[in-house]
Every structure is written in structure tokens, then in C-alpha cells.
Amino acid sequence: MSNNQITDQVITLLGGKENLRGIENCMTRVRIEVKDVTKCDLDALRKVDSVLGVVVDDHNIQVVVGPGKSKRIAMDISERTGIRCIEVDEAEIRKRENRKKNDTPAKRLMKTVAKIFIPIIPAFIACGLMVAIYESGYVFFPGFEETNFGKILGTIAYSVFNVLPIIVGYNAAKEFGGTPILGAVLASILTAASITGVNLFGIVECVAGRGGVISVMVVAGLGAQLEKRLARVIPDFLDTFLRPLIMIFVMTFAGLLVLQPVCGFISETIGQFVHYIIYNVPFLAGLATLVYLPLVMTGMHHGLIAVNAQLISDFGVTYLLPVTCMAGAGQVGAAFYIYLKTKNARLKKTCRNALPVGMLGIGEPLMWGVTIPLGKPFLASCLGGAVGGSSMAMMHVAAKIPELSGLQLSLITTSPVKYLIGVAISYAAGFAFAAILGFEDPEE
């Protein structure tokens, strides 16, 4: 069936040109806004030759016809109806649709957790790189850590971890709608050395910092909810005095008696589970890498910063971060294969521009501009990353900070050489899976 015939069928089956009010075309589909969906014969449209699929989103009808063909059909519909055709970025559209589809209560909670830690990322990076410089100093120059300069560098290197619970408490209260400074106060109470050994009512023996940032986040978040409820019942003239007093008092004892022990148990269980996988069945660690890119699609991946921060608090390092970082490396390998094989100038340019930043751990340009629109390369990225993640676990590579990725993370791992070997394995595996699965090269 010719493009003209397809255009005729699309216009007719969508209720005629009078029923159309907007046209957009992207890499693989024509997006048509209709006035009345009931006038559309969608079942017949799905049976039209060369129509690969029909997606309905309220009044927006998406007719999937494949790369190249979508632009020609969209232009034909525009010429016949007089409606201006707009070319849109399919990657950005899919990104928006994916976020809408994944807007569930559980995922909104994970995004809130991510927002608590995202503002801290620059400090993790700065202090993490300083850790690399400081530790290199005393490795190559024995006694360096005892010099005045070495003491200053050491203070800088580990400073973010000293104040991390306070920052998390502040951000958590803010994100959950409470008073940020009260969240910071709760964090300081839960981590105060003076509470260690205190026996509460013969039920709990307190331990400073039990549950780490997880317990701080939970207590500050619940404290914010308590604040909002108190605001509804306390008279305005007493609110300034009673609300913070009651919230701090209640949440302190709730935290020490219940929430800290529970969160401590959870964090210890997570740590033991990660260590069991790393040291007993490391090949299974690749499963965490396999699902990491889908987490990035929803923005939920930043929620893992809390887990990595807790692992560092409990064990001094995190084995999870190097494993999950291999997802991005697998995508680099898959994208490099596409760069070598594609004949589409626009796609080649996108790969060329996005590959360097992908190697530095910023994978979104490759994800939304290359692998997701092409489909199979995204799967190849996940599989390649899983191979690299398993190899990283088998080599027992750990990171000393909870957030960083790409080649530069090698500077803050327990073994930079092994980390780079894991990256190379991920590149190669992503490339190989992309070659095996192939991809449909879009027309110019």
C-alpha cells in the first residue's frame, strides 16, 4: 500500500479531516489529536497495511508506521487537512509518557527519597575526589596524614559523612512538608553519642546512629506529617510554641523506641544481603544492574543513594554502586555499535555527542536519544550492564562514596584497575548484545 493510500485510510478511519485538530510526527509514529474519539474506527485502523500499531491516549491517537514513513504520512495529512504538522522529539515524548505511566504512590515515594539526596550529590563528588587525593598522598608519601596539610585534606575528604545525617534530616523534613530545621534537630538527637547505652523503660538500649540515614529519613519524614496534623488542631496563638515542642518530644521517643531499632534491622539486613551476594553468588549481582536503567527511566535510581550511604556507614564501603554503574557502561557499548553501523546522519551525530558524557556516567542523552527509541539496543544495554555488574562483584570492587559513576568513579574505589576492567567488560558485552539483537536503522 502506498503512502497516499495509507494517508487516505488514516484520515477516513479517524472520522474525516473535520475530526482532526492537531498533527505531530516523531521518529516512528504520527500523533494525531482528534475532536471526538467515538467517530474513530480504531479496530479498522489497526488492520491497515503498514500500520504497525495504534496507541490511544485520551484524544491523542498515535499511529505507529515506522521510521521515515511517519514523516511522509504526517506531511501528507497536513497538506490534505491544512493543519500544520509539528515535528517532535520522540525521545522527549516517551520520557514524558513514561513518567506519567509510572506515577504511582510507591514510585512517588522513591522520587521523594531521591529528592532528599540529589542536592547532596555535589558534596559527595567533591569529597569523594578529595578522598582519592588524600589516600594517594599517604600511600605514596608515608606520614603525609600526620602533616598539617594532610590533616586539613583528611578533614575535607570525610566532612560530608560527618554531617550527612543532619543534611538528610533537614532535606527529608523539607520534602515531606515539615520544618527543615526540626528535621535536622531530630537527626542530631538520633546520632548524639550521649544516647548510647541509655535504657528506655527496660525495652530498648539506645545506640547513637542506629539505622543511619534510613532511620533519620523515616523519623524526619514522619515528624513532618505529625507537624501538619498538629497545625490543624493547635490554636494559632499557641502554634509557634507547642507545635515544634510536641513534634520533637514525640518523634524523639518514637524514634528511639521503635523507628531506630526497626530501621537498624532493615539496614543491617540490606548490608548482610549485599555482602552475601558479593561473596557467595556474585554472578547474581548482575540482576541489580539489569534493572538499573529502567529505574533511571523513572528517576527512581537516585533513591539508591540512601542504600549506598547506609552501606558505607555500616561497612566503610559499598559494593552496590560499582555494580549498578555498569548499566551505563553497557549502554555505552551498545551505543558505540549503533554509531558504527547506522547510516542515519542524525542518529550518528546524536551518538557522537552523547557517547563522551555517557562514558562519564551521564547516560540520559544516550538513553532518551538513542537506545530507547530504537528498542532492542536498550535491552542490549541492560544485558551488557548485567554482565559487567556480575564481573564487578566477582572482583569484589567497592566504592568509598555513595554517588558517582562513569570512568571517574575508578578514583574512589578499592581497586581502580579492577573497576576499569569491569567497565571494559561492560562496554564489550553491550556492544556484543547490540550486534546480536540488531536494530532497525531509521531512514533519513
Side-chain angles (χ1 to χ4, degrees):
M1 183 179 287
S2 68
N3 289 332
N4 285 335
Q5 291 173 314
I6 297 172
T7 301
D8 288 337
Q9 294 273 22
V10 169
I11 293 174
T12 301
L13 295 173
L14 289 181
K17 63 182 182 181
E18 297 80 9
N19 196 39
L20 311 186
R21 63 181 177 191
I23 306 168
E24 295 178 339
N25 85 278
C26 48
M27 186 181 291
T28 62
R29 61 190 70 190
V30 182
R31 299 168 184 268
I32 304 168
E33 191 78 16
V34 299
K35 298 174 184 176
D36 187 351
V37 179
T38 62
K39 294 181 179 180
C40 304
D41 190 346
L42 300 175
D43 289 333
L45 183 58
R46 290 186 176 95
K47 296 175 183 177
V48 172
D49 187 31
S50 297
V51 171
L52 306 177
V54 176
V55 180
V56 182
D57 183 9
D58 197 15
H59 287 271
N60 185 269
I61 311 297
Q62 302 171 26
V63 185
V64 184
V65 290
K69 191 181 286 289
S70 64
K71 183 172 184 177
R72 290 194 291 270
I73 292 174
M75 295 304 295
D76 284 347
I77 296 174
S78 177
E79 289 175 6
R80 298 188 194 190
T81 61
I83 301 172
R84 181 170 173 263
C85 177
I86 301 172
E87 185 169 358
V88 296
D89 186 342
E90 183 167 12
E92 184 59 34
I93 292 287
R94 289 195 182 188
K95 187 175 182 180
R96 238 177 9 241
E97 290 174 347
N98 185 74
R99 284 177 176 170
K100 181 179 178 182
K101 181 177 66 176
N102 285 283
D103 191 27
T104 63
K107 290 175 180 176
R108 282 198 296 272
L109 177 62
M110 282 296 291
K111 289 176 183 177
T112 300
V113 173
K115 289 178 183 177
I116 293 170
F117 285 90
I118 287 173
I120 315 174
I121 290 177
F124 285 142
I125 294 172
C127 294
L129 293 174
M130 188 58 71
V131 167
I133 295 171
Y134 172 68
E135 293 190 355
S136 297
Y138 67 69
V139 167
F140 293 105
F141 305 99
F144 170 77
E145 67 271 26
E146 298 300 325
T147 66
N148 291 334
F149 187 61
K151 291 177 181 178
I152 292 173
L153 288 190
T155 301
I156 296 171
Y158 302 108
S159 58
V160 68
F161 301 104
N162 295 331
V163 297
L164 185 59
I166 307 297
I167 299 173
V168 169
Y170 184 96
N171 288 349
K174 180 180 177 181
E175 288 301 327
F176 284 100
T179 305
I181 195 64
L182 296 183
V185 170
L186 284 171
S188 69
I189 294 168
L190 297 178
T191 55
S194 57
I195 68 169
T196 298
V198 172
N199 192 292
L200 280 179
F201 314 117
I203 301 173
V204 171
E205 185 170 309
C206 300
V207 177
R210 178 185 290 171
V213 293
I214 294 178
S215 64
V216 166
M217 190 166 50
V218 170
V219 172
L222 291 177
Q225 301 304 310
L226 177 59
E227 264 198 277
K228 288 189 280 190
R229 282 163 175 74
L230 290 172
R232 297 173 189 163
V233 297
I234 296 177
D236 290 343
F237 70 96
L238 293 175
D239 183 74
T240 303
F241 306 100
L242 290 184
R243 182 153 50 109
L245 175 63
I246 294 173
M247 193 278 276
I248 289 293
F249 184 82
V250 171
M251 292 312 302
T252 293
F253 282 92
L256 295 176
L257 281 169
V258 180
L259 299 175
Q260 259 199 332
V262 170
C263 292
F265 173 77
I266 292 171
S267 67
E268 290 163 11
T269 301
I270 291 171
Q272 291 166 2
F273 177 73
V274 171
H275 274 250
Y276 178 82
I277 294 294
I278 296 296
Y279 286 101
N280 294 279
V281 281
F283 64 91
L284 289 181
L287 295 175
T289 319
L290 187 67
V291 301
Y292 190 74
L293 286 181
L295 286 178
V296 175
M297 289 172 61
T298 64
M300 292 167 59
H301 61 300
H302 289 300
L304 290 178
I305 301 176
V307 177
N308 285 313
Q310 188 58 50
L311 290 171
I312 290 173
S313 174
D314 291 341
F315 302 102
V317 293
T318 171
Y319 290 96
L320 182 61
L321 181 60
V323 168
T324 55
C325 281
M326 293 306 98
Q331 183 168 244
V332 167
F336 188 63
Y337 175 80
I338 294 166
Y339 174 73
L340 293 179
K341 293 297 182 179
T342 183
K343 293 181 172 56
N344 184 295
R346 180 180 177 184
L347 180 57
K348 189 176 283 287
K349 181 180 179 182
T350 301
C351 290
R352 185 169 60 247
N353 292 338
L355 274 168
V357 294
M359 295 173 72
L360 295 176
I362 303 171
E364 283 82 358
L366 283 176
M367 176 181 292
W368 296 112
V370 180
T371 59
I372 287 180
L374 294 177
K376 291 179 182 178
F378 182 71
L379 177 59
S381 302
C382 296
L383 293 172
V387 173
S390 294
S391 67
M392 196 69 74
M394 290 176 184
M395 292 186 288
H396 298 164
V397 179
K400 300 174 184 178
I401 62 170
E403 176 66 5
L404 195 61
S405 57
L407 295 173
Q408 62 270 32
L409 179 59
S410 63
L411 300 173
I412 313 112
T413 60
T414 52
S415 177
V417 173
K418 289 181 179 178
Y419 177 84
L420 292 175
I421 291 172
V423 170
I425 291 171
S426 299
Y427 287 170
F431 186 98
F433 278 114
I436 293 168
L437 296 175
F439 68 99
E440 185 176 347
D441 198 15
E443 298 177 20
E444 288 288 358

